[in-house]
Amino acid sequence: MRVGVLALQGNFREHAAMLRRLGADVVEVRKPEQLEGLDGLVVPGGESTTFMRLMRLYGLDEALRTFPGPVFGTCAGMIVLARGHLGLMDLEVDRNAYGRQVASFEADLPLGDGGEALRGVFIRAPRVSEHGDEVEVLAEHDGEPVLLRQGRFLVASFHPELTEDTRVHELFLEQVREATSVRA
């Protein structure tokens, strides 16, 4: 599997390392043409305003809108994929809703499967204020959705790449595997 990680700024190195650990062939994406031949894409955490400015500058905003594979967005990546920016997911998101940098925290996130809780690292994290009926909530923190899926899109308010737990990335790679087997 060839998976791209948007490498304009933010936590792209951490995502790339986690994906490589799970056996993916990782490509750092900085230009639209680098999306060609990729099976999936990660839009990492960082600063959403900076992401959008650089994406528009390099034409990645339109390229991402037409990218056919699964996309996984964390923190700022969630914001970029939501209604207010690229509009690829039926989500309304409030930036920095869990507080400023000094209010960063970690929390255990129960998953619906009854297994071990997932550790979530929240850094200037966005909060989902509204989501459409087609959006599936996979994990919550204090009753608020923090891990969601809609079709080929997966988003997290937190940073799974900053822990040793690979389950969220495994979930994304499973979506990539399913999508590539359908296209084959």
Side-chain angles (χ1 to χ4, degrees), residues 3 15 17 19 48 50 53 82 94 99 119 121 133 139 141 143 161 171:
V3 177
H15 280 287
L19 291 164
S48 59
T50 302
R53 186 175 58 77
D94 298 327
R119 191 73 175 163
V121 177
D133 294 337
H141 172 65
E161 75 281 6
L171 177 63

Side-chain angles (χ1 to χ4, degrees), residues 88-100:
L88 295 171
M89 283 192 77
D90 192 8
L91 298 174
E92 198 65 50
V93 179
D94 298 327
R95 294 178 59 210
N96 303 330
Y98 286 98
R100 299 168 57 108

Side-chain angles (χ1 to χ4, degrees), residues 2-81:
R2 291 191 73 223
V3 177
V5 179
L6 193 62
L8 299 177
Q9 61 109 203
N11 289 351
F12 65 90
R13 288 178 191 89
E14 292 84 352
H15 280 287
M18 175 90 57
L19 291 164
R20 283 186 184 106
R21 212 168 92 201
L22 294 171
D25 177 18
V26 178
V27 176
E28 292 183 3
V29 175
R30 293 181 178 87
K31 300 181 216 163
E33 57 269 19
Q34 292 173 312
L35 292 171
E36 291 174 26
L38 294 180
D39 301 310
L41 180 70
V42 174
V43 183
E47 209 293 311
S48 59
T49 304
T50 302
F51 265 126
M52 287 307 299
R53 186 175 58 77
L54 291 172
M55 287 173 70
R56 277 192 293 276
L57 180 67
Y58 297 118
L60 280 161
D61 54 342
E62 288 308 314
L64 191 54
R65 281 189 177 101
T66 60
F67 180 73
V71 179
F72 174 32
T74 61
C75 200
M78 171 192 270
I79 296 167
V80 165
L81 295 173

Side-chain angles (χ1 to χ4, degrees), residues 114-127:
E116 183 182 340
L118 183 68
R119 191 73 175 163
V121 177
F122 292 80
I123 303 170
R124 295 174 48 216
R127 178 177 279 132

Side-chain angles (χ1 to χ4, degrees), residues 18 21-22 118 160 163-171:
M18 175 90 57
R21 212 168 92 201
L22 294 171
L118 183 68
T163 71
E164 292 301 311
D165 192 328
T166 60
R167 289 181 287 169
V168 177
H169 286 81
E170 288 172 22
L171 177 63

